[in-house]
Amino acid sequence: MRVVLLGPPGVGKGTLAGYLKETYHLVHISTGDMLREETKKDSPLGREIKSLMTQGALISDELVTKLVKQKVEHGLDLTQGFMFDGFPRTVNQAQDLDVILESVKAPIEVVLNLDADLDVLLKRLTGRRVCRKCGALYHVDYKVPACEGICDLCGGELYQRADDNAKTIQSRMQVYHESTSPIIAYYAKQGKLKKIDANLEAADVRRAVAAILK
Ligand code: AP5
C-alpha cells in the first residue's frame, strides 16, 4: 500500500502513521522528522533549517525533494508499502513525488486527507509532548503517559516541540492554507483523495481509515 497522509498541523498524521506502521507494516517517511534530524547537525544547513522551522516556514522544495529522493532510491526497502507524512507540502513537491515514484514504478495509491476544526488543532498542538528518544507521541489531556514526563514505551524524556507555540502555530496554519491545501485539488483530480473526519477520537479515526484501506 502506498499512501500520502495529508492535513494541517496537529490533525493527527504522525499518530495515524504509528497505527499504519504497526498494522500494515508501512514504512513511515516523515519529512518533518528528517528535517529535525538535520537540525541536530551543527552545520550551516542544519542551522538554516532550524531557523525556518522555528518560524513555521517551509524549507525549499529543492532541498526537501532531494532528501525524499535519496530515501526512496537508496535508503529504504519500500516493497511492503510506505506512507508519506508531511510530504508533499506544495504542488511542486507533489509533481516531483509523482516523477520520483514513477521511476521506481510505485505510484501513490491513496491520499488520506485528514481535516479537523481549528480549535481542535490548536488544543492538540499546544498539548502535544514527544519522546526525545523514540519519537512516541503524547498529549497532556488525550494521551497521558503513566508517569509524567516519561515515555511509557522506552523511558525517554518527553518534550514540547519548539514550533508548538502560539506564534509559530499561527504561521504554520497560514502556510498550510496558502501552500499545502492546493494539493487537495491535485490529488482529487487523480481520483486518489479520501476524506477523513479527524475531529473524532483517535480510535474512530483508525476505524475510518481501516475501512478505506481494506
Ligand atoms: P511536521 O513535523 O511535518 O509537522 P506538521 O505537518 O505541522 O504536523 P505535526 O507533526 O505538527 O502534526 P500531526 O498531524 O503529525 O499531528 P500528531 O499526530 O503529532 O513539519 C514541521 C515543520 O517542518 C514544518 O512547519 C516545516 O517547517 C518543515 N517541513 C516538514 N515537511 C516539509 C516539506 N515537505 N516541505 C517544506 N518544509 C517542511 O498529533 C498532534 C497531537 O494530537 C498529539 O499530541 C496526539 O497525541 C494528539 N492527537 C492526534 N490525533 C488525535 C485524536 N484523533 N484525538 C485526540 N488527540 C489526538
Side-chain angles (χ1 to χ4, degrees):
M1 214 170 323
R2 301 181 293 272
V3 179
V4 166
L5 303 177
L6 185 60
V11 78
K13 302 180 294 294
T15 301
L16 183 61
Y19 162 73
L20 296 177
K21 191 173 168 184
E22 207 177 285
T23 311
Y24 299 94
H25 311 291
L26 303 187
V27 174
H28 181 201
I29 306 170
S30 157
T31 45
D33 288 349
M34 286 156 67
L35 292 165
R36 275 183 287 279
E37 273 307 304
E38 288 293 321
T39 66
K40 290 180 189 163
K41 297 178 191 161
D42 191 22
S43 65
L45 180 63
R47 283 191 288 274
E48 191 192 327
I49 292 173
K50 190 173 184 174
S51 159
L52 287 166
M53 287 177 87
T54 310
Q55 294 166 53
L58 293 185
I59 314 308
S60 75
D61 288 345
E62 196 190 359
L63 173 66
V64 179
T65 302
K66 191 172 144 197
L67 291 174
V68 167
K69 194 166 189 279
Q70 279 168 0
K71 279 257 179 211
V72 170
E73 291 179 351
H74 306 293
L76 293 169
D77 176 5
L78 302 175
T79 47
Q80 293 279 332
F82 51 84
M83 63 195 141
F84 284 98
D85 164 4
F87 183 88
R89 243 177 165 96
T90 63
V91 171
N92 271 341
Q93 290 182 13
Q95 289 165 340
D96 286 343
L97 181 62
D98 281 348
V99 173
I100 293 168
L101 295 180
E102 179 65 42
S103 74
V104 293
K105 306 217 175 326
I108 291 299
E109 293 169 296
V110 60
V111 176
L112 300 173
N113 180 29
L114 285 77
D115 204 6
D117 300 336
L118 183 61
D119 59 328
V120 171
L121 299 174
L122 296 180
K123 270 189 210 146
R124 287 187 187 167
L125 287 169
T126 49
R128 171 168 56 189
R129 299 292 181 270
V130 185
C131 175
R132 219 178 265 292
K133 213 162 139 189
C134 72
L137 294 165
Y138 293 87
H139 192 281
V140 293
D141 296 318
Y142 311 130
K143 192 164 185 256
V144 184
C147 186
E148 198 189 328
I150 306 289
C151 178
D152 292 341
L153 303 176
C154 74
E157 178 202 2
L158 303 187
Y159 79 105
Q160 185 165 26
R161 263 171 50 177
D163 58 351
D164 280 350
N165 63 76
K167 192 166 170 238
T168 309
I169 289 171
Q170 200 183 3
S171 318
R172 289 163 64 196
M173 292 296 173
Q174 194 179 341
V175 167
Y176 178 78
H177 289 294
E178 285 171 4
S179 305
T180 307
S181 61
I183 295 178
I184 295 171
Y186 179 86
Y187 283 122
K189 213 168 159 188
Q190 293 188 357
K192 295 178 178 171
L193 200 73
K194 299 285 178 197
K195 194 174 173 196
I196 309 287
D197 180 2
N199 288 299
L200 302 171
E201 283 181 15
D204 293 326
V205 172
R206 287 197 292 271
R207 264 191 286 279
V209 168
I212 288 171
L213 298 183
K214 77 170 189 279

